[in-house]
Amino acid sequence: MDLVIVLVLILTCLLLFSHWKRSSKRGQLPPGPTPLPIIGNIHQIDVKNVHQAFTNFSKVYGPVFTLYLGMKPTVVLHGYETIKEALIGHGEEFSGRGRVPIFDMVLKGLGVAFSNGDMWKESRHFSLLTLRKLGMGQRSIENRIQEEAQFLVEELKKTNGSPYDPTFILACVPCNVICSIIFQSRFEYKDQVFVSLMEKLNANSKILSSLWVQVCNIFPVLIDYCPGNHNTWYKNFTYIQSYLLTKIKEHEESLDVTNPRDFIDYFLIKEMQENRNPQSIYTRENLIGLLTDMFVGGTDTIRSTLRFALLLLLKHPHVTAKIQEEIDCVVGRQRSPCLQDRKQMPYTDAVIHEVQRFIDIAPNNLPHEVTCDVKFRNYLIPKGTTILTSLSSALYNSNEFPNPETFDPGHFLDANGNFKKSDYFIPFSTGKRVCLGEGLARMELFLFLTTILQNFKLKSLVPPNDINDAPLVNGFVVSPPPFQLCFIPI
Ligand code: HEM
Ligand SMILES: *[C@@H]1O[C@H](CO)[C@@H](O)[C@H](O)[C@H]1NC(C)=O
Ligand SMILES: CC(=O)N[C@H]1CO[C@H](CO)[C@@H](O)[C@@H]1O
């Protein structure tokens, strides 16, 4: 038989099969564009402008619609009200994590970010509680961040005000904060062990944003059968995880149960208490999974936000000047900024919120999954269906934030210049899966940015109006275009 005929036959069968599947069991899924066999609706989604593509679909099909990414139906939730109704109103049902095959490869369902069920619940509860405990006391997380901010300032001084690309250092800084929380010590930026850890992390965040990996996530069979950079990804994580294992072993030898020092110590203590329980989540493998989650979740997100913040500050020098006035007035030059200062610095607070709103770092959140059959707005979403939530649609809502395409700290200020909260501010998502590091992230963004601006004038290499702030959208996290700037000591 002719190859073409075979292909046509296969395609026809698949088409019939997919129609049959949709018209029977999946009959009550929300409406959406008609999918093609195998690729589904992928050809109808402009990957360069997913937000606009989703907005367009929502105009035709309403705020809840179904897209087929490959063969899998995915329900998209568009608009703040819809997202709130699902992630908060039906919090439990929408709290599952959708499958991300490339992460399953390394985490195997362990840890917190890509796990489900009791593993997720207990891991999340433990992590939040431990972060809270570590947030208090003499060596609190705030102190650790302040200390790291001073090291950053020293490093930036070494550039002598010459043009500098801060991409690498701005990943080192949040990574060191995680190290400090997990195993109590930070690294010198030039430390060989640290540099190679950073290289692996950076290489992997590049891989995560490659087109090939997006394809693998939609067609997971490729991961098992094709060569490709997902293999480097796996090896790099294995390297990081074997380093973490040596750290855990060191901790076991020096553990003092009456005086836990860091995240690993708290976990080991819990592991000892639970060792009779065969269902315990306190296992070596899960600890490594949790630590990997924190490195991955806590490094790239902060780096991208800080870099983007610097770029926007260069583009809007009057905004920078106003923050520096506020720093002069509230903090002065003699001491480091601390979290207490934030309450008296409404303008700075508004700018940081506006940066996060404007850059919209995770436009479609991490995928969720419904944990059981859910009736939602007259539709029936079957258990296990992937749910995408368009965080962009809330952050760029034009009633809540007039002229959403404009960077304007006024979006978070009232008429008297006080900070104005908004429910639509959900860059960390919302509900039961809300970013586990939100508190930590907000501390870092405030302390790092104010410490930088307390110590340096930022100088752009091109006139502010010529600065390109078009984001590079790829994978889960958005990043700014490459740029250099000068840090001129004040
Ligand atoms: C600007 C900084 C950050 C942003 C914008 C951000 C954003 C997000 C988003 C959108 C999610 C997915 C929420 C959902 O599924 O509904 C998430 C999850 C998560 N983030 Fe962050 N994040 C940031 C920083 C951090 C930091 C510093 C950590 C370090 C501990 C962290 C750890 C995590 C973890 C472990 C999860 C998974 C939570 C779960 O699945 O239950 N993130 N983050
Ligand atoms: C959205 O719709 C507008 C007008 O119908 C069209 O011009 C635009 O190309 C669409 N954008 C995307 C990304 O699909
Ligand atoms: C251990 C390992 O496989 N490391 C790789 C991490 O990623 C970089 C960049 O892709 C590779 O060059 C390394 O070999």
Side-chain angles (χ1 to χ4, degrees):
M1 231 191 309
D2 196 276
L3 186 66
V4 179
I5 298 181
V6 174
L7 278 176
V8 170
L9 274 177
I10 292 176
L11 284 182
T12 317
C13 290
L14 282 169
L15 195 63
L16 286 175
F17 179 66
S18 78
H19 266 283
W20 166 79
K21 250 174 69 172
R22 268 184 305 132
S23 55
S24 57
K25 176 171 171 231
R26 309 213 174 259
Q28 293 183 49
L29 272 175
T34 309
L36 291 178
I38 303 175
I39 63 166
N41 301 109
I42 293 174
H43 61 296
Q44 289 158 304
I45 303 168
D46 179 357
V47 287
K48 290 243 162 56
N49 198 348
V50 177
H51 171 51
Q52 191 53 50
F54 284 5
T55 305
N56 284 4
F57 285 132
S58 77
K59 282 185 187 140
V60 181
Y61 302 103
V64 185
F65 55 89
T66 306
L67 289 178
Y68 283 76
L69 303 180
M71 313 266 275
K72 257 176 51 175
T74 299
V75 171
V76 182
L77 306 181
H78 196 270
Y80 173 72
E81 291 302 330
T82 319
I83 294 174
K84 192 176 92 176
E85 189 179 328
L87 298 192
I88 297 175
H90 296 262
E92 191 65 36
E93 295 99 309
F94 282 87
S95 70
R97 171 66 72 222
R99 300 295 5 121
V100 183
I102 197 83
F103 276 110
D104 289 345
M105 202 177 156
V106 256
L107 292 164
K108 307 186 169 72
L110 299 171
V112 58
F114 297 96
S115 63
N116 270 313
D118 289 342
M119 171 62 77
W120 167 66
K121 261 196 194 123
E122 180 73 25
S123 299
R124 184 170 168 107
H125 178 74
F126 168 81
S127 305
L128 282 171
L129 201 69
T130 305
L131 283 176
R132 197 172 314 145
K133 287 181 191 154
L134 290 168
M136 296 179 288
Q138 284 283 299
R139 294 263 305 135
S140 70
I141 292 177
E142 177 179 8
N143 296 148
R144 289 164 205 248
I145 301 172
Q146 284 174 315
E147 174 191 72
E148 195 62 38
Q150 290 310 319
F151 283 110
L152 171 64
V153 167
E154 290 317 308
E155 198 63 22
L156 294 178
K157 280 192 176 144
K158 291 185 194 155
T159 65
N160 285 320
S162 46
Y164 179 66
D165 176 352
T167 308
F168 187 72
I169 190 75
L170 291 182
C172 293
V173 163
C175 188
N176 249 340
V177 171
I178 300 285
C179 291
S180 178
I181 291 173
I182 295 179
F183 45 73
Q184 159 95 345
S185 54
R186 66 176 296 279
F187 292 98
E188 295 291 323
Y189 299 126
K190 296 223 161 52
D191 186 298
Q192 235 3 80
V193 175
F194 188 54
V195 170
S196 63
L197 281 176
M198 287 307 306
E199 272 169 10
K200 314 285 180 230
L201 267 180
N202 286 340
N204 274 7
S205 65
K206 283 217 184 78
I207 292 174
L208 187 60
S209 62
S210 69
L211 186 62
W212 172 247
V213 167
Q214 314 309 312
V215 173
C216 284
N217 276 331
I218 295 177
F219 303 104
V221 288
L222 297 174
I223 293 181
D224 297 331
Y225 296 106
C226 289
N229 55 16
H230 55 268
N231 291 314
T232 314
W233 155 276
Y234 184 76
K235 280 196 206 129
N236 275 347
F237 267 128
T238 313
Y239 177 94
I240 296 172
Q241 295 185 332
S242 65
Y243 177 74
L244 292 174
L245 196 59
T246 63
K247 276 290 171 192
I248 296 172
K249 294 222 171 90
E250 277 173 34
H251 274 64
E252 276 180 317
E253 279 151 26
S254 58
L255 182 67
D256 170 2
V257 285
T258 58
N259 190 16
R261 298 157 292 186
D262 48 31
F263 195 92
I264 295 182
D265 275 359
Y266 277 105
F267 193 97
L268 292 176
I269 292 170
K270 198 81 178 155
E271 185 179 328
M272 288 161 67
Q273 291 165 353
E274 295 260 326
N275 74 349
R276 294 253 164 74
N277 173 3
Q279 256 114 54
S280 169
I281 66 123
Y282 298 95
T283 63
R284 207 44 44 93
E285 294 72 29
N286 194 33
L287 174 54
I288 292 179
L290 272 176
L291 302 183
T292 311
D293 282 339
M294 304 218 343
F295 273 111
V296 174
T299 304
D300 236 20
T301 46
I302 299 284
R303 176 200 16 212
S304 247
T305 309
L306 288 173
R307 278 180 69 218
F308 229 134
L310 291 175
L311 187 68
L312 290 164
L313 291 173
L314 289 172
K315 197 172 168 71
H316 304 274
H318 61 285
V319 173
T320 316
K322 280 184 91 165
I323 298 182
Q324 280 172 327
E325 252 172 58
E326 213 170 46
I327 293 174
D328 277 343
C329 185
V330 177
V331 189
R333 298 280 162 77
Q334 307 306 320
R335 62 168 180 89
S336 306
C338 63
L339 292 176
Q340 275 287 323
D341 296 326
R342 184 160 49 188
K343 279 197 247 56
Q344 282 121 269
M345 300 173 71
Y347 189 78
T348 306
D349 205 7
V351 172
I352 295 173
H353 279 75
E354 179 64 357
V355 167
Q356 288 201 270
R357 183 198 71 80
F358 184 79
I359 73 177
D360 184 16
I361 202 170
N364 296 303
N365 204 348
L366 288 179
H368 283 227
E369 188 179 282
V370 282
T371 55
C372 54
D373 292 354
V374 191
K375 198 156 166 26
F376 186 70
R377 297 199 173 172
N378 288 327
Y379 305 118
L380 190 72
I381 306 176
K383 176 177 178 176
T385 306
T386 306
I387 308 292
L388 287 185
T389 45
S390 168
L391 301 184
S392 317
S393 66
L395 298 175
Y396 275 72
N397 179 296
S398 57
N399 291 327
E400 181 73 5
F401 306 112
N403 300 316
E405 311 286 335
T406 309
F407 176 77
D408 175 9
H411 285 137
F412 293 94
L413 292 168
D414 69 12
N416 300 320
N418 298 317
F419 180 77
K420 186 175 76 185
K421 236 175 96 143
S422 168
D423 288 341
Y424 287 63
F425 179 76
I426 51 170
F428 298 102
S429 182
T430 185
K432 292 187 188 291
R433 279 274 177 180
V434 66
C435 175
L436 187 134
E438 172 172 1
L440 175 62
R442 297 195 53 220
M443 287 190 232
E444 291 190 55
L445 295 178
F446 178 79
L447 294 173
F448 288 138
L449 283 171
T450 50
T451 308
I452 291 173
L453 292 179
Q454 182 190 40
N455 288 278
F456 300 98
K457 263 202 173 67
L458 309 179
K459 198 172 127 234
S460 172
L461 306 187
V462 294
N465 284 331
D466 296 348
I467 292 174
N468 168 22
D469 62 1
L472 304 174
V473 187
N474 32 30
F476 296 105
V477 176
V478 167
S479 60
F483 69 101
Q484 291 192 323
L485 78 165
C486 305
F487 292 91
I488 316 282
I490 292 181

